[in-house]
Amino acid sequence: MSFDRLIERIERSGNPTVAGLDATIENIPEYIRENSYKQHGETFLGAANAILDFNKGLIDAICDIVPAVKPQCAYYELLGWEGVRVLQETIQYAKSKDMFVITDGKRNDIGTTMVAYAAAHLGFTQLGGTTGEAFGADALTVNGYLGSDGITPLLDICRQHDKGIFVLVKTSNPSSGELQDRVIQGDPVYELMGNMCENWGKDLHGRYGYSPVGAVVGATYPDQLRELREKLPHTFFLVPGYGAQGGKADDVRHAFGKNGIGAIVNNSRGLMYAWKKEGCHEREYAAAARRAAEKMRDDLGGVV
Amino acid sequence: MSFDRLIERIERSGNPTVAGLDATIENIPEYIRENSYKQHGETFLGAANAILDFNKGLIDAICDIVPAVKPQCAYYELLGWEGVRVLQETIQYAKSKDMFVITDGKRNDIGTTMVAYAAAHLGFTQLGGTTGEAFGADALTVNGYLGSDGITPLLDICRQHDKGIFVLVKTSNPSSGELQDRVIQGDPVYELMGNMCENWGKDLHGRYGYSPVGAVVGATYPDQLRELREKLPHTFFLVPGYGAQGGKADDVRHAFGKNGIGAIVNNSRGLMYAWKKEGCHEREYAAAARRAAEKMRDDLGGVV
């Protein structure tokens, strides 16, 4: 239960990194794109299959040193239902390589509808006398603006199927403070949301002390990260904003508890497009991603 | 621009109703489900195609008296990528019948990723030298917890392609107040979010005076609905919560301005499953939906 499965993988690899899988068709290596377009045309099918090839190459290259992947739904929906098919295939492929999969969908809705999202992304769908697994991720990012009704349906699924959720608490973007930093009776909104996470997970602590209700807290706000780490001892953090958005190892260090666990740090562009930064040939993109992942592991290892 | 296209359709039909398309496989008429399962098996394909048949029958029956439909993403994702394909086909079918389509996805993310969601649901995707339309709805529901970064990418698309968004302000569920009713410097969070909607849309008013930045305000909170209508004169409202959730015509009346426009009221179960309530044969589900839509139109007409 809870995030034990994820934490085990982090401990085993010594690497609290999650690789974001957010590729766009124009940014992947040309040879993958052109191969697929040649076969399927400049279509959603062609673009989606190219992304799948790209993702598989990346997963093969890093699955033994990076414990988790985080596909971002938006980039798959951008390619219509063909893209969503590739989201599902990417999730299944990463799981087949024993990676922990966090679907970044930031889903949210009221009770009955949230039950459908929970079943879709983390659970099972009833089809007549049989059941099917629609997406089958290990965890899902969600938005708590609607309050407990939008979260409790997920808790049942977490309990039944050993899954987790990450609730948006303090996001990494420049304007996140417009609502999240506003003060309610002495406390900012992000802290109220953080406290709700502790509360939603209170009866579900795993053997590392964390519940399946995690929080998204951006690396770009290190002071808030430190403050929330202290105040939310049972809430595991998903930390975006490292790398391209400006967050450094010294910033994300605050996300980890004294035992060195308690968070996983996302890197999307820094791994996916490492070959561009390194200046090597695009056909080496997977090897370059692995080198970047090793560098990130060592970078984080220096502060955690 | 803005919601002019929607308001024109409401004026023409004399009916400020949007039909929610949120069907689940176990709740649709047995003959549709069994036909499709017989053809495709008890699979995601079989279930998704059954939902599509159901939706088309409903759209055919009401498209001349109901101006808009609102498919809820969660129920399509519940059927995996086959379900998402049917979401896309449902959107296209409703548009071919000249209905206004609001995709209820409550999407949210930071800037660069929100650009992808905006293009996916309301705009176009670049595929090599060509472009494709991934989902092609007229409007999208979104969640503003991340602030302006998550909204401004949508405004560009609204301007370019004459589309709209509905931001969650005061949702219809019982726990919506946990965050939304909390008070910041004298004003509740829902009012802060409502003011942000007015501000995001301030340079984009259409000829009815409404911007393309609408707000979701639940019928289950009539006092807040009245308060927000007064304070947000340029914000068009999408009002869930009528019918199954308990909202009555007398509650939603506050959503409309003095000119009788300014809002559209959702009804999902009350139309989709009208045949159950009416007690007629399931094969009459579409005719029953039409009768329920006429009743709802007259019900709202009595107070607007």
Side-chain angles (χ1 to χ4, degrees):
Chain A
M1 194 163 61
S2 73
F3 282 113
D4 288 352
R5 285 195 297 126
L6 174 58
I7 297 170
E8 276 159 25
R9 281 169 175 74
I10 293 173
E11 296 280 86
R12 208 154 56 211
S13 62
N15 190 9
T17 295
V18 51
L21 298 177
D22 315 357
T24 55
I25 187 65
E26 68 271 21
N27 278 312
I28 64 170
E30 195 182 345
Y31 78 97
I32 297 176
R33 182 173 56 240
E34 293 311 315
N35 267 351
S36 190
Y37 276 165
K38 208 169 286 169
Q39 219 180 323
H40 306 291
E42 284 187 359
T43 59
F44 284 125
L45 173 63
N49 281 3
I51 299 290
L52 182 61
D53 288 346
F54 175 77
N55 286 350
K56 284 182 172 178
L58 213 59
I59 289 167
D60 288 341
I62 62 172
C63 62
D64 61 325
I65 58 166
V66 174
V69 290
K70 180 175 78 63
Q72 163 56 259
C73 290
Y75 295 102
Y76 298 89
E77 293 178 17
L78 185 59
L79 302 177
W81 61 267
E82 293 280 13
V84 177
R85 174 181 57 75
V86 159
L87 168 65
Q88 190 264 343
E89 290 187 42
T90 297
I91 292 167
Q92 294 308 317
Y93 191 75
K95 282 171 70 180
S96 78
K97 300 287 173 173
D98 201 35
M99 298 185 91
F100 189 93
V101 181
I102 303 166
T103 295
D104 195 355
K106 298 184 175 62
R107 296 302 195 250
N108 62 107
D109 217 288
I110 66 167
T112 46
T113 302
M114 206 62 206
V115 172
Y117 273 134
H121 291 281
L122 302 176
F124 296 87
T125 304
Q126 195 67 37
L127 298 165
T130 60
T131 55
E133 192 175 33
F135 292 97
D138 297 300
L140 177 69
T141 61
V142 300
N143 184 317
Y145 186 75
L146 291 90
S148 298
D149 301 333
I151 302 296
T152 44
L154 294 152
L155 301 182
D156 292 337
I157 299 265
C158 289
R159 206 183 282 117
Q160 281 166 41
H161 304 300
D162 190 17
K163 303 290 175 97
I165 59 171
F166 290 100
V167 182
L168 297 186
V169 169
K170 173 65 186 168
T171 56
S172 60
N173 56 312
S175 73
S176 72
E178 287 174 12
L179 172 62
Q180 298 163 27
D181 290 356
R182 298 299 299 270
V183 173
I184 294 172
Q185 296 186 329
D187 296 320
V189 166
Y190 65 76
E191 204 177 304
L192 170 70
M193 192 60 80
N195 289 336
M196 286 162 83
C197 292
E198 278 283 309
N199 192 47
W200 287 321
K202 71 177 185 300
D203 299 322
L204 302 168
H205 300 169
R207 72 173 181 286
Y208 295 94
Y210 294 96
S211 86
V213 182
V216 175
V217 189
T220 45
Y221 298 100
D223 292 341
Q224 286 86 339
L225 194 50
R226 180 171 43 208
E227 179 199 347
L228 288 166
R229 180 67 294 155
E230 281 167 17
K231 292 191 172 163
L232 311 175
H234 308 104
T235 304
F236 196 83
F237 289 177
L238 169 62
V239 182
Y242 173 92
Q245 287 180 57
K248 311 240 172 294
D250 200 50
D251 298 323
V252 302
R253 147 177 85 86
H254 307 299
F256 297 87
K258 288 191 194 98
N259 50 9
I261 58 175
I264 192 160
V265 181
N266 184 68
N267 193 350
S268 300
R269 284 168 274 178
L271 302 184
M272 285 191 306
Y273 306 139
W275 96 90
K276 298 184 189 188
K277 200 172 168 195
E278 222 187 61
C280 65
H281 194 279
E282 62 170 29
R283 285 186 186 264
E284 277 186 62
Y285 85 94
R290 186 181 174 87
R291 286 190 290 272
E294 286 169 335
K295 212 177 139 199
M296 181 170 171
R297 180 192 61 198
D298 298 342
D299 189 31
L300 293 178
V303 297
V304 175
Chain B
M1 196 162 62
S2 74
F3 282 113
D4 288 354
R5 284 194 296 127
L6 174 58
I7 298 170
E8 277 160 23
R9 281 169 174 74
I10 293 172
E11 295 281 87
R12 209 154 58 210
S13 61
N15 189 10
T17 295
V18 50
L21 298 178
D22 314 356
T24 55
I25 187 67
E26 68 272 20
N27 278 312
I28 64 169
E30 194 180 346
Y31 78 97
I32 296 176
R33 182 173 55 241
E34 293 311 314
N35 267 350
S36 189
Y37 275 165
K38 208 169 286 170
Q39 219 178 324
H40 307 288
E42 285 187 0
T43 59
F44 284 125
L45 174 64
N49 281 3
I51 299 290
L52 182 61
D53 288 347
F54 175 77
N55 286 348
K56 284 183 171 177
L58 212 59
I59 289 167
D60 288 342
I62 63 173
C63 62
D64 61 324
I65 59 166
V66 173
V69 290
K70 181 175 77 63
Q72 164 56 256
C73 290
Y75 296 100
Y76 298 88
E77 293 177 16
L78 185 59
L79 302 177
W81 61 267
E82 294 279 13
V84 177
R85 175 180 58 76
V86 158
L87 168 65
Q88 191 264 343
E89 290 188 41
T90 297
I91 292 169
Q92 294 308 318
Y93 191 76
K95 282 171 71 180
S96 79
K97 300 287 174 174
D98 201 34
M99 297 185 92
F100 189 92
V101 180
I102 302 165
T103 295
D104 196 354
K106 300 185 174 63
R107 296 302 194 249
N108 64 109
D109 216 288
I110 65 166
T112 47
T113 303
M114 205 64 206
V115 171
Y117 273 134
H121 291 281
L122 302 176
F124 295 87
T125 304
Q126 195 68 37
L127 298 166
T130 61
T131 56
E133 193 175 34
F135 291 97
D138 297 300
L140 177 69
T141 61
V142 300
N143 184 317
Y145 185 76
L146 289 91
S148 297
D149 301 333
I151 302 296
T152 43
L154 295 151
L155 301 182
D156 292 338
I157 300 266
C158 290
R159 208 183 278 119
Q160 282 168 40
H161 304 300
D162 191 16
K163 303 290 173 97
I165 59 172
F166 289 99
V167 182
L168 298 185
V169 168
K170 175 65 185 168
T171 56
S172 60
N173 55 313
S175 73
S176 72
E178 287 174 9
L179 173 62
Q180 298 163 29
D181 290 356
R182 299 298 300 269
V183 173
I184 294 172
Q185 295 186 330
D187 297 320
V189 167
Y190 64 77
E191 205 177 305
L192 170 71
M193 192 60 79
N195 289 335
M196 286 163 85
C197 292
E198 279 282 308
N199 193 46
W200 287 321
K202 72 176 184 300
D203 299 323
L204 302 168
H205 300 168
R207 69 173 184 288
Y208 295 94
Y210 294 97
S211 87
V213 182
V216 175
V217 189
T220 44
Y221 298 101
D223 293 340
Q224 286 86 339
L225 194 50
R226 180 171 43 210
E227 180 199 347
L228 288 166
R229 179 69 293 155
E230 280 166 18
K231 293 193 172 163
L232 310 175
H234 308 103
T235 303
F236 198 83
F237 288 176
L238 169 62
V239 183
Y242 173 92
Q245 288 180 55
K248 310 239 172 294
D250 200 49
D251 298 322
V252 302
R253 145 177 87 85
H254 307 298
F256 297 87
K258 290 193 189 93
N259 51 10
I261 58 174
I264 191 159
V265 181
N266 183 71
N267 193 348
S268 300
R269 283 168 275 178
L271 301 184
M272 286 191 306
Y273 307 138
W275 96 90
K276 298 184 189 188
K277 200 173 168 190
E278 221 187 62
C280 65
H281 193 279
E282 60 169 29
R283 285 184 186 266
E284 277 187 62
Y285 84 95
R290 186 182 174 89
R291 287 189 290 271
E294 285 169 335
K295 210 176 142 203
M296 180 170 171
R297 179 192 62 199
D298 298 343
D299 190 30
L300 293 178
V303 296
V304 175

